[in-house]
Amino acid sequence: MCIFVLLMKNVVVLKTLKEHWEKVGREDSEQALRAWYQEVRKAEWQNPNEIKEQFKSASIVGNNRIVFNICGNKYRLVVKINNVAQWVYIRFVGTHKEYDKIDVTKI
């Protein structure tokens, strides 16, 4: 699994997201992941409540992890956020079935 830093106010690397949408059968996630990327790039969240205000269906799961529903919850995107430093680590992108096999607070 690839892990990279996503700087909320700086240039954002799309590699991990792109690897996901380039997999056969997951092409439908490209638009949604690009839209998420654009929103996060502009974000200046100071706390999890601000994330929930912007992404109503996001789940705050502990250990600085946030789960975003992608494509109507067909896919899950798990990130680790440091609001003070304004960075986001992509920890997981996958199907709901794949998500069910991970421990979201430890990944």
Side-chain angles (χ1 to χ4, degrees):
M1 171 185 1
C2 293
I3 298 172
F4 68 94
V5 178
L6 175 78
L7 300 172
M8 289 191 277
K9 290 192 250 182
N10 299 307
V11 177
V12 180
V13 179
L14 284 170
K15 183 180 177 185
T16 301
L17 301 178
K18 187 177 180 196
E19 287 173 355
H20 173 79
W21 75 58
E22 287 181 341
K23 290 180 183 176
V24 175
R26 298 182 186 198
E27 301 88 353
D28 60 336
S29 66
E30 181 176 0
Q31 265 190 325
L33 288 170
R34 284 185 182 272
W36 177 87
Y37 159 83
Q38 292 299 327
E39 289 299 312
V40 170
R41 195 169 160 218
K42 296 182 276 183
E44 295 183 17
W45 304 314
Q46 297 302 308
N47 60 60
N49 291 332
E50 291 180 4
I51 298 167
K52 285 291 289 178
E53 286 175 23
Q54 186 171 358
F55 293 95
K56 305 284 188 234
S57 67
S59 299
I60 299 158
V61 294
N63 201 16
N64 297 320
R65 287 353 186 244
I66 311 292
V67 179
F68 295 91
N69 298 322
I70 306 296
C71 290
N73 204 21
K74 182 176 181 181
Y75 305 105
R76 293 280 179 99
L77 171 62
V78 179
V79 302
K80 181 176 181 179
I81 295 182
N82 181 319
N83 292 306
V84 175
Q86 292 288 291
W87 54 251
V88 175
Y89 280 107
I90 303 294
R91 304 298 297 177
F92 171 86
V93 184
T95 65
H96 203 287
K97 186 176 181 179
E98 292 166 339
Y99 170 84
D100 288 342
K101 295 178 183 177
I102 66 169
D103 181 344
V104 71
T105 63
K106 294 181 181 175
I107 195 164

